[in-house]
Structure formats: structure tokens, C-alpha cells
Amino acid sequence: MSTVTVTIHFANGSHDQHPFPSFIEARDFYRNRICYSNRVSRVTVADLSNSARSVWDASWDDLSKYHGLND
């Protein structure tokens, strides 16, 4: 059973969801396996309560992007 879902929101309006059994595995995925190009507009993480939070957004400044991925 997945406890955490990473959602990649693309600039064209589509999205892709990736379920993970733990936050650690989800964090490793969004830190190391996503290519943050101009195709990606936002990345969110949601737990079982569907409480989603953004970890990366194309509109953020570089420091905010860094902190989103590393906090």
C-alpha cells in the first residue's frame, strides 16, 4: 500500500503520479529521478490524508527551488 504520492505537473496541463511506500523513497525519487526541464511546471507530494505540498514550482526563484527539494 502506498503512503506517499509524488505528482509531476507538466506545462501542457497533464500530470503523472508515482506512489511510494514511504516518504524517504518519494523524496529520493523527486530529488534524483525527475528532470526539471521547461516541461515540468510543479511537483507535489501527498500523504494518505491527501494533504499535498509543493516541493518544486517553475515559478519559484532558484533558492526556493533548492529549499523545496532539500528541506
Side-chain angles (χ1 to χ4, degrees):
M1 179 177 179
S2 66
T3 60
V4 180
T5 301
V6 175
T7 304
I8 305 169
H9 303 267
F10 295 99
N12 67 4
S14 66
H15 68 278
D16 194 10
Q17 293 185 318
H18 300 270
F20 295 93
S22 71
F23 177 77
I24 301 291
E25 291 178 67
R27 184 189 65 201
D28 289 346
F29 174 77
Y30 69 71
R31 282 183 178 174
N32 303 316
R33 305 274 320 270
I34 297 175
C35 177
Y36 291 94
S37 65
N38 58 355
R39 291 184 42 208
V40 176
S41 63
R42 185 169 31 116
V43 175
T44 60
V45 176
D47 58 19
L48 280 177
S49 67
N50 288 325
S51 175
R53 69 176 181 93
S54 292
V55 293
W56 189 91
D57 194 294
S59 67
W60 294 351
D61 63 38
D62 289 341
L63 186 58
S64 296
K65 289 175 183 177
Y66 173 83
H67 283 293
L69 294 175
N70 293 292
D71 284 343

